[in-house]
Amino acid sequence: MANLGPGSNDPQEFINFVSKETAKLLEAFSANGADDIFSQFTKSWTELATRSLQDPTLWMRAIADYQTAQFNLWRNLLTGNSANPVVEPAKGDRRFQAEEWSTNPIYDYIKQSYLLSSKMLSEMASHANLEPGEQTKLNFYTQQYIDAMSPTNFAALNPEVLQQALYTKGQSLLDGMKNLLADFEKGRISMTDESAFTIGENIATTEGSVIFQNEVIQVLHYKPEGEQVYTRPTLIIPPSINKFYILDLQPSNSFVKYCLEQGQNTFLISWRNPTSEQSNLSWDDLVSDGILEAVNVVKAVSGSDKINTVSWCVGGTLTATALAVMAKRKDTSIASATFLTTLTDFTDPGDLCVFIDEYQVKQLEQKVNSTGFLNGRELATSFNMLRSNDLIWSYVVNNYLKGQNPAPFDILYWNSDSTNLPAAMYTFYINKMYLENKLVEPDALEICGEKINLGDIKIPCYFLSTIEDHIAPWKATFKATETFGSEIEFVLGASGHVAGVINPASKNRRNYWVKGEQGKGADHWFETSERVEGSWWPNWAEWVRRRAGKKVAAPAALGNKEYSPIEAAPGSYVKVRID
């Protein structure tokens, strides 16, 4: 981007340049197995940017501002004035932390020229005045291009890479090539030292047993921590789109272990990682053979006629549909439901909206129907693109250009352990929820033979959302307070979709908001809410304690005669990888 000089006045020439350079980038990504995710990149930028030429004055103004800034930048370079930079990296941008980016005039010029070009591109995109959906897509793909073309991503322009190569006499470049070839073979970028973790040995180690399994799930029963448990057990329903052990990483940050410490008789669903043989598994199957089956197992083992559930993300959406089915059937087995960062109204699907339109969905549907499942790698690539500097390019620089190996990190190990989605379930989910938003329409969906209505859900619910969530925006999840027919305790946590949920009470970090006034929209709720320091976990534990019944002796053994232990936790389903 630093080559976009004062002569680049022709907007169409500029578009052609972007398209050509983007195509080169796509080639590299295609080699890593991400061609389907990125296939719309060039087409979207070209089509949308071309339409914005209806008012060329916006382009000319942006280019004129860019030329003026470039002139000032050249003047600073020639006069040795580095004390007053024309432009500086945004707060939190860690790409230019090396000293050379500020002290070396050449690198300082490259950095600032890139930032100026980035600003020009962003302004051109943001003033395109397209339809909201197309405008969001244009902004997103423009940012993807900007991030990809950072000088830090190119060996010849990155002083840290060059220094590393000189210091190691070229060994870092050879090591980087080995890392690149290894990742090509895996089909994804390594984010952590995967050899450092083994599921069941140093990750997902909470003691328990698998007491039930079918084609869809395994049900885990965990060993109580104390001599007593509450009569109403807790069933944890993780997202089927990820592995469950994000909730049981290490003893210090395990939500599962925290539940046990609170005296909860704790059970958990482990979803099967489907292959083409499970292509016909539908949303109904995940509700009936997954959630409803697990509820019956937990009731039978615990001896309680009612249970409490905790569900996360897609697991929460599945649980909402299950609750609506149970309401139609007058089934009161679930006494309370907790939803963690869960969408039930898909009017605003967050940053994922850039991947969701009829054309892109139909293209992906064809592939999914032919393979029998949506490959988890493609899902992971989509999510990683939402934070490309942190989750793509930083590892490109570290692993391939510097030849370094990523450090062990449990959350990133989990993030790399992707899960497939069965074709039937995926096509229903993406069409009926994201494209058509049918879940919030009373009787618009038929699940397990019942026309469902979220307004029929009358049990107490606890909704935890996070203020920086880009997958399930908190103002979108807040809409459940308007569509459910029950009393909802809405809590807003700090941070994002994962870090905001996995916020152990023992570390006493971050904060959360509670007690806002409902009925007047999300903004009003926030304005009237109270900020509380620390983790939201104790707040939830107290809420669920009031609905957990009395204390009784903890079970002496896991499972019962009907549902006896099959294998030790974490079970075999969670260990199936798609590598």
Side-chain angles (χ1 to χ4, degrees):
M1 288 179 68
N3 293 329
L4 291 179
S8 301
N9 287 344
D10 183 355
Q12 188 58 53
E13 179 184 334
F14 181 72
I15 294 171
N16 293 338
F17 169 80
V18 170
S19 301
K20 191 183 299 182
E21 292 301 310
T22 301
K24 294 177 184 176
L25 292 170
L26 290 179
E27 270 188 63
F29 277 115
S30 296
N32 236 2
D35 51 310
D36 293 304
I37 296 296
F38 288 89
S39 62
Q40 295 301 310
F41 195 114
T42 304
K43 179 182 176 184
S44 295
W45 212 101
T46 304
E47 289 182 355
L48 296 176
T50 300
R51 284 183 57 185
S52 72
L53 294 178
Q54 295 173 357
D55 185 1
T57 58
L58 294 172
W59 288 81
M60 302 312 296
R61 188 182 309 128
I63 291 172
D65 291 342
Y66 170 78
Q67 289 175 330
T68 300
Q70 274 285 358
F71 174 81
N72 292 331
L73 180 57
W74 272 105
R75 183 179 59 189
N76 285 352
L77 178 65
L78 294 174
T79 60
N81 180 14
S82 59
N84 299 299
V86 176
V87 63
E88 294 186 274
K91 185 179 180 181
D93 187 343
R94 296 176 292 180
R95 293 173 296 174
F96 302 100
Q97 288 182 330
E99 186 178 306
E100 289 80 5
W101 289 112
S102 298
T103 59
N104 185 300
I106 301 302
Y107 288 123
D108 188 34
Y109 170 78
I110 292 172
K111 174 191 71 177
Q112 292 192 60
S113 185
Y114 162 74
L115 294 173
L116 289 174
S117 300
S118 301
K119 181 181 178 183
M120 178 183 66
L121 263 177
S122 296
E123 289 180 352
M124 287 176 169
S126 62
H127 291 96
N129 294 322
L130 304 175
E131 292 296 319
E134 292 185 329
Q135 182 66 55
T136 300
K137 198 182 302 180
L138 174 61
N139 293 342
F140 175 79
Y141 285 130
T142 300
Q143 191 59 51
Q144 292 301 307
Y145 174 73
I146 288 170
D147 293 344
M149 294 304 292
S150 170
T152 56
N153 299 336
F154 298 89
L157 299 177
N158 190 325
E160 292 182 273
V161 172
L162 294 177
Q163 283 183 356
Q164 185 84 356
L166 288 172
Y167 179 75
T168 62
K169 298 180 181 179
Q171 186 62 45
S172 62
L173 299 178
L174 293 176
D175 292 341
M177 181 58 67
K178 290 178 184 177
N179 290 341
L180 179 62
L181 293 174
D183 281 358
F184 273 154
E185 195 170 313
K186 288 193 296 188
R188 55 184 169 80
I189 298 173
S190 295
M191 298 182 180
T192 184
D193 179 4
E194 296 176 10
S195 65
F197 299 101
T198 301
I199 296 176
E201 293 184 12
N202 59 359
I203 199 168
T205 59
T206 301
E207 188 175 353
S209 295
V210 174
I211 60 170
F212 172 83
Q213 69 180 36
N214 59 18
E215 190 182 16
V216 181
I217 61 169
Q218 288 187 321
V219 175
L220 280 63
H221 185 193
Y222 288 99
K223 182 179 178 179
E225 292 266 323
E227 296 181 355
Q228 291 186 316
V229 295
Y230 289 104
T231 53
R232 284 182 184 167
T234 297
L235 172 62
I236 300 174
I237 306 167
S240 59
I241 206 169
N242 299 112
K243 299 287 185 70
F244 80 79
Y245 63 86
I246 183 63
L247 292 160
D248 188 29
L249 290 169
Q250 307 288 339
S252 62
N253 61 4
S254 170
F255 183 78
V256 171
K257 182 173 175 58
Y258 182 78
C259 291
L260 294 170
E261 291 171 346
Q262 306 312 304
Q264 298 175 25
N265 191 7
T266 305
F267 299 75
L268 180 143
I269 287 177
S270 176
W271 299 99
R272 185 170 190 171
N273 200 345
T275 65
S276 56
E277 295 179 1
Q278 289 83 41
S279 64
N280 291 326
L281 287 178
S282 65
W283 188 274
D284 284 25
D285 293 326
L286 269 64
V287 171
S288 61
D289 297 341
I291 294 176
L292 298 183
E293 188 70 56
V295 168
N296 290 332
V297 170
V298 173
K299 286 170 58 181
V301 171
S302 66
S304 174
D305 61 346
K306 290 182 182 292
I307 72 171
N308 298 313
T309 62
V310 180
S311 53
W312 191 358
C313 192
V314 183
T317 310
L318 283 161
T319 300
T321 60
L323 285 169
V325 169
M326 296 171 76
K328 287 290 186 184
R329 297 174 178 177
K330 310 299 182 185
D331 184 343
T332 59
S333 298
I334 297 179
S336 77
T338 296
F339 296 89
L340 310 178
T341 60
T342 296
L343 281 174
T344 53
D345 185 320
F346 291 78
T347 305
D348 177 11
D351 291 350
L352 289 176
C353 68
V354 297
F355 303 118
I356 300 169
D357 57 45
E358 289 192 16
Y359 176 79
Q360 292 186 80
V361 167
K362 296 306 175 188
Q363 289 290 104
L364 192 53
E365 260 189 59
Q366 292 177 12
K367 180 176 181 180
V368 167
N369 289 329
S370 66
T371 59
F373 58 88
L374 175 63
N375 194 301
R377 290 178 187 162
E378 298 182 18
L379 282 171
T381 302
S382 298
F383 288 125
N384 291 344
M385 283 181 68
L386 301 180
R387 293 174 53 205
S388 61
N389 276 333
D390 291 334
L391 297 178
I392 296 178
W393 296 113
S394 64
Y395 294 101
V396 168
V397 173
N398 183 76
N399 301 2
Y400 309 152
L401 302 188
K402 294 183 180 180
Q404 298 175 351
N405 294 319
F409 190 13
D410 52 10
I411 288 182
L412 291 178
Y413 178 82
W414 166 82
N415 189 60
S416 301
D417 191 5
S418 303
T419 305
N420 298 328
L421 289 180
M425 177 269 184
Y426 165 75
T427 54
F428 177 89
Y429 179 45
I430 198 71
N431 282 289
K432 297 302 180 183
M433 305 295 178
Y434 279 97
L435 282 183
E436 301 175 25
N437 197 25
K438 291 295 185 181
L439 184 54
V440 292
E441 295 182 26
D443 301 329
L445 289 180
E446 184 174 306
I447 306 293
C448 300
E450 308 287 351
K451 288 188 178 296
I452 63 169
N453 181 356
L454 295 180
D456 292 337
I457 300 173
K458 306 294 185 182
I459 62 171
C461 294
Y462 184 105
F463 264 78
L464 182 278
S465 299
T466 55
I467 197 165
E468 296 174 11
D469 196 334
H470 52 271
I471 296 171
W474 80 268
K475 292 182 182 180
T477 64
F478 183 83
K479 292 182 179 180
T481 64
E482 302 165 358
T483 53
F484 279 42
S486 59
E487 171 196 343
I488 290 182
E489 180 80 10
F490 189 85
V491 177
L492 182 62
S495 196
H497 192 73
V498 173
V501 174
I502 307 305
N503 184 23
S506 59
K507 296 185 179 180
N508 198 33
R509 296 175 58 198
R510 303 191 178 97
N511 62 275
Y512 60 97
W513 292 266
V514 294
K515 298 181 180 178
E517 183 183 1
Q518 296 182 20
K520 298 181 180 180
D523 289 330
H524 179 77
W525 180 91
F526 186 73
E527 290 169 1
T528 56
S529 67
E530 298 178 11
R531 174 176 170 137
V532 182
E533 297 302 318
S535 169
W536 61 271
W537 288 15
N539 177 274
W540 169 78
E542 174 58 25
W543 183 88
V544 79
R545 184 194 63 77
R546 298 195 299 270
R547 296 160 177 83
K550 63 181 182 179
K551 283 282 190 80
V552 296
L558 301 179
N560 60 11
K561 289 184 179 180
E562 184 180 1
Y563 299 106
S564 58
I566 299 170
E567 59 181 332
S572 53
Y573 282 13
V574 74
K575 296 179 181 178
V576 176
R577 295 182 65 94
I578 63 174
D579 292 345

